[in-house]
Amino acid sequence: MKTRNILLLSLSLILTAGCSDFLDVPPEGGLQPDQVDDPEKMVTAAYAWLANDRPANMWTWGDVRSDDAYKGGGGENDGYPIHCFEISTGVQTNFGEADGFWFNMYSGISRVNQALNMLEEQDETDFPDKYARMGEMKFLRGHFYYQLKVVFKNIPYIDETVPTDDYKTISNVALSNDDLWGKIAGDFKYAFDNLPEKQSQVGRANKYAAAAYLAKVKLYKAYRQDEKNNVVSIDQQDLQDVLTYTSFVMSGGYDLERDFGYNFLPGSYENGVESIFAIQFSTDDGTMYGRLNFADFVNTSQGVGCCDFHKPSYNLVNFYKTNKGLPYGTYDLSIYTKNSFADPRLFHTAAIDGFPYKYNENRLFQNSWNRNPIYGVYSSLKENVDPDCDCFVTLTPYTANSKNKILIRFADVLLFRAEALIELNREAEALSLINRVRQRAVDSASGLVNYSGALKPKMNVDIYRPGVNCTWDNDFAREALRSERRLEFSMEDMRFFDLVRWGVADQVINAFYNSESKRIPYYEGAHFEKNKMEYVPIPQAQIGYSKGVYKQNYGW
């Protein structure tokens, strides 16, 4: 049973009666300063908010709106607002899912700001960790703001100097898009300047985590967007900053795990060499259920739990097919079969009929485990665990687990750097970085997915070899990088945000709708409206709360 060095404060969780309203969990209120008189406890309270179900749930926003995943569940009406986001049709500004996400993210920011105010009052002589703890808090604030930014774009930036009662007076368009990214980068820069390289307690942010997140934010900032969400330029200095901070992380002793699957296993595999920052979950920690991953608790296959949400798409699974070891490059409507050659990462990502579920050869995934055939024949694996693990907790009818959720891993850093190099027209330098990630995929073919006998899938993956299997020019390198990000990070809540950053969301998603509609009826009529659907509308409840200070996003 797993416990954590950082004690995550127990927060009430109200389980819903049915899946149709699984996101309509009444949020718990923020802590008031007079409830916590110890700055360390307030810091812990801010860390605890990372694991809250809404802040930790990004699959709704980063996967289901992309070509990687279907909503899943019992049907279109099971979590209907998410269905609307999935097909980019019928989205309303009063949907509770968006409002709840907004509220909970700012609740986390409020905890951070309260902690910062308490820390500021401490004398460094009596509290020698003062600035390190302030760095941790600004790291967390940067994380919360990053998630708000990629979902909503135009958000109010509120720091510790703003009284709580004045939150609603800060406009969400007071800062330009570039300036808002700059504020978020500033939080991570403060964290980078004040955090130690190593922390004595697992789960605390360190200097390398701050550098990795700073590189990520600088990469997003580099792609300048106009008010209509069009990418109009790519800033060279921001890209140079990505190189600076990724270089620092690469000097810090992090590396790729020997096998890709180690990133998605519990117990001794957690907080490994590739994990730069992760949400720490736990069981047997003195709370009612343990600090479980309730953000993904409805994503277990119906054959072993509930409720089969967050389903890999046909498009995604077919994307793992290879041609002479390289990405297949085209989409087809065929269902993946054991006769198809595939990138090994597929078998860590999607549960497929006839293959072991989470590497357990005594539990072969079956198509009958899929709750509703409208959502295809695959189930999500990365966030799930083997039901035989003591980290798997049954909360009838739901299940949850205590496996960590990695927010940034070393592969991300390598591909951040490769992307920056390509956009700086230094694609030759990006080759070795992308190949480093692909070589790990090659090596993984003989690892955890090397099942016995007939259970072993057909795998064939190779690195890029200029002049042999590819022509490594700038355009090819860019497509290779973008393909690699999908292969490496699918179902990890990132795909949609990548597409928006690159300015190709409408092209990719409308092509996806067109191809998927030939198999899945509810995609008929789906359409991604450019200059609108890149971002979730500002919740109408929040606009009302601000008495009109907040302005609605373009197109809404």
Side-chain angles (χ1 to χ4, degrees), residues 508-550:
V508 171
I509 295 173
N510 281 326
F512 169 70
Y513 289 160
N514 181 61
S515 63
E516 292 292 301
S517 66
K518 298 176 175 63
R519 184 188 298 278
I520 298 178
Y522 69 74
Y523 279 116
E524 294 178 5
H527 178 71
F528 186 96
E529 184 177 343
K530 182 176 173 60
N531 305 132
K532 176 181 179 179
M533 294 306 300
E534 291 88 354
Y535 295 96
V536 172
I538 306 302
Q540 192 60 46
Q542 298 301 325
I543 294 176
Y545 167 75
S546 74
K547 294 182 170 51
V549 172
Y550 298 164

Side-chain angles (χ1 to χ4, degrees), residues 236-251:
Q236 302 292 289
Q237 183 56 56
D238 285 335
L239 296 177
Q240 291 289 348
D241 291 341
V242 174
L243 300 186
T244 296
Y245 293 109
T246 54
S247 177
F248 179 80
V249 178
M250 292 170 69
S251 72

